């Protein structure tokens, strides 16, 4: 498997998306391809703003999506993807995390080489890479991250304490999506909305001084709700640091 990935990591498909709408039980039919990079991982400058997290999370089984990206709300969503070529594809396929935007040839997924190779049975991955684009079916599944039970926020490297704060929302578990983020202005007892800068990155000029209290508008299997993190970010926050919100989403 390692040799196959090294050989195919430099190939790249980037064409126009024309989504398929075909349903098989609770799966949706589409197509998938894979991207190439010298180290077989994605770019740290992906459209979701995840940085290294977007390259390595989920054992590097990640994907770029277009229609499912949903202006960034779809960043971090998890999917089961399986190809449909007889005698070539495994029964379960692979579980992937959407960490970037990407358009392909009638595809909904541009998979990392690791994820694409995992679509095949153990001895057929080389043949699968030769296809380049394959028919698939996929479904949304709950996200689960080994060792991470709580929602995390990372202070983006471009932040400048105390004048500018940008955060990246990480480890959104279950089938939930973060639609909005607010900061509490405690002296006025008022919630101020952060701007979705791009992907999973939210920012604000001149954030409140002191500890940062956040609330997240979450949409998931239970509908839409606001969830408050009273100690999301300490008063002495630093660019590049990640903080545990103590919020569990399922």
């Amino acid at each position: 498997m390692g040799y196959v990935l090294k050989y195919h990591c430099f190939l790249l498909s980037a064409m126009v998306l024309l989504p398929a709408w075909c349903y098989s039980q609770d799966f949706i039919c589409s197509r998938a391809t894979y991207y190439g990079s010298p180290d077989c991982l994605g770019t740290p400058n992906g459209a979701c703003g995840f940085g290294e997290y977007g390259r390595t999370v989920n054992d590097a089984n990640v994907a770029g999506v277009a229609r499912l990206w949903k202006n960034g709300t779809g960043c971090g969503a998890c999917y089961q993807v399986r190809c449909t070529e007889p005698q070539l594809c495994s029964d379960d396929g692979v579980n992937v995390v959407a960490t970037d935007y990407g358009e392909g040839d009638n595809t909904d997924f541009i998979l990392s080489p690791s994820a694409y190779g995992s679509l095949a049975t153990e001895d057929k991955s080389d043949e699968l890479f030769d296809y380049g684009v394959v028919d698939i079916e996929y479904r949304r599944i709950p996200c689960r991250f080994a060792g991470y039970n709580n929602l995390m926020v990372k202070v983006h490297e471009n932040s400048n304490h105390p004048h500018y704060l940008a955060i990246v929302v990480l480890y959104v578990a279950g089938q939930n999506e973060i639609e909005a983020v607010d900061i509490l202005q405690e002296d006025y007892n008022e919630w101020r909305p952060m701007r979705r800068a791009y992907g999973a990155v939210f920012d604000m000029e001149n954030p409140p001084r002191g500890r940062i209290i956040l609330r997240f508008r979450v949409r998931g299997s239970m509908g839409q709700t606001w969830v408050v993190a009273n100690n999301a970010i300490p008063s002495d926050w630093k660019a590049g640091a990640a903080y545990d919100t103590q919020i569990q989403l399922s």
Side-chain angles (χ1 to χ4, degrees), residues 34-93:
Y34 64 98
Y35 57 75
S37 65
D39 58 4
C40 299
L41 301 177
T43 171
N45 301 315
C48 288
F50 285 145
E52 285 298 317
Y53 168 92
R55 287 159 47 87
T56 58
V57 68
N58 194 40
D59 295 326
N61 290 321
V62 298
V65 296
R67 183 173 58 89
L68 301 171
W69 192 65
K70 295 187 286 187
N71 198 34
T73 305
C75 290
C78 296
Y79 298 91
Q80 179 186 2
V81 181
R82 61 191 188 191
C83 59
T84 57
E85 189 67 27
Q87 312 303 317
L88 184 64
C89 301
S90 65
D91 292 336
D92 295 329

Side-chain angles (χ1 to χ4, degrees), residues 151-241:
L151 186 73
M152 303 281 291
V153 291
K154 177 185 175 183
V155 177
H156 196 278
E157 289 80 0
N158 290 341
S159 297
N160 179 21
H161 188 282
H163 307 293
Y164 172 72
L165 174 65
I167 64 169
V168 191
V169 184
L170 307 177
Y171 300 111
V172 181
Q175 295 193 44
N176 297 293
E177 297 173 347
I178 304 299
E179 295 186 323
V181 182
D182 290 353
I183 287 183
L184 180 63
Q185 185 77 48
E186 287 192 271
D187 48 353
Y188 293 101
N189 194 28
E190 179 180 84
W191 290 102
R192 296 171 54 194
M194 299 188 78
R195 178 182 70 115
R196 184 186 291 273
Y198 66 97
V201 180
F202 296 82
D203 68 356
M204 176 181 284
E205 299 278 357
N206 300 313
R209 302 297 178 98
R211 65 171 180 161
I212 301 295
I213 300 175
L214 299 175
R215 70 174 181 178
F216 303 86
R217 192 173 77 211
V218 182
R219 181 177 295 276
S221 57
M222 300 301 292
Q224 186 187 85
T225 186
W226 285 97
V227 180
V228 176
N230 287 311
N231 294 289
I233 303 174
S235 59
D236 59 346
W237 53 265
K238 294 177 175 59

